[in-house]
Amino acid sequence: MFALITTIENEDDRYKVTQIYKLYRGIMLYIANSILHESHLAEDAVSEAFIRIINNLERIDTIDDQKTRAFVVIIVRNISLDLLRRHRNQTRPFEDYIGYSEYNELVFDDIAARDACGKIAKSIAGLNKAIAIGKRGVFMEYNLQEL
């Protein structure tokens, strides 16, 4: 970030950006991380926000006031939301899903096992119903046609 700050030619603007960086970097990281939940994306959002702040430096009169804080917070919030949208819209390669499983099995084996368990559970439920009918018939002394 300091490499970016050193490229600013005007000494007053460089000082202003340095002070904004020192004062608001922590809150900017906090906001970005609370939206993105990934530290590397939060760092990217803060860096992009500082670039936008540098491009709009003329809008900042005083460094330590509510107006500047609101300006900085809104910029980092909007950039974080944009990054979140971009990150969510990216498709993941198929290979990323092959190794995922709760049981460290291949996904397809895991899906097949869950499907088989579901079918077994349905069969047992049907079997329990048949057993209940059979027990009722024996208890009430019904014959097979009456059941």
Side-chain angles (χ1 to χ4, degrees):
M1 181 55 60
F2 286 109
L4 179 65
I5 293 173
T6 57
T7 61
I8 300 172
E9 294 177 10
N10 186 340
E11 186 67 35
D12 292 334
D13 289 346
R14 190 178 317 135
Y15 176 77
K16 188 185 284 189
V17 171
T18 303
Q19 294 305 312
I20 291 170
Y21 182 81
K22 289 178 181 177
L23 190 61
Y24 296 112
R25 183 181 182 276
I27 189 73
M28 292 172 75
L29 273 172
Y30 176 79
I31 290 168
N33 203 24
S34 68
I35 293 170
L36 297 166
H37 304 291
E38 292 186 36
S39 60
H40 69 280
L41 287 176
E43 289 282 346
D44 290 347
V46 170
S47 296
E48 195 172 326
F50 270 106
I51 292 170
R52 200 170 291 176
I53 289 168
I54 290 169
N55 291 336
N56 293 293
L57 207 53
E58 68 277 356
R59 292 184 175 190
I60 299 174
D61 296 324
T62 57
I63 296 167
D64 191 13
D65 69 344
Q66 290 293 5
K67 185 179 174 184
T68 303
R69 180 187 168 119
F71 181 68
V72 167
V73 166
I74 289 170
I75 287 175
V76 76
R77 182 199 65 195
N78 290 346
I79 289 173
S80 298
L81 291 172
D82 288 344
L83 279 174
L84 184 64
R85 276 187 224 106
R86 272 188 260 152
H87 188 69
R88 282 186 181 166
N89 289 337
Q90 289 179 347
T91 58
R92 293 176 61 185
F94 180 71
E95 291 78 23
D96 287 355
Y97 295 100
I98 289 178
Y100 172 76
S101 174
E102 292 177 30
Y103 309 105
N104 294 326
E105 300 171 355
L106 289 177
V107 172
F108 299 115
D109 294 340
D110 191 29
I111 292 171
R114 288 178 192 225
D115 188 43
C117 287
K119 288 178 181 178
I120 292 170
K122 285 180 184 178
S123 298
I124 290 173
L127 192 61
N128 286 338
K129 187 176 180 181
I131 290 172
I133 291 172
K135 284 181 180 178
R136 189 179 323 136
V138 170
F139 181 71
M140 301 295 244
E141 298 179 4
Y142 289 126
N143 62 22
L144 197 54
Q145 280 77 23
E146 291 175 327
L147 290 176

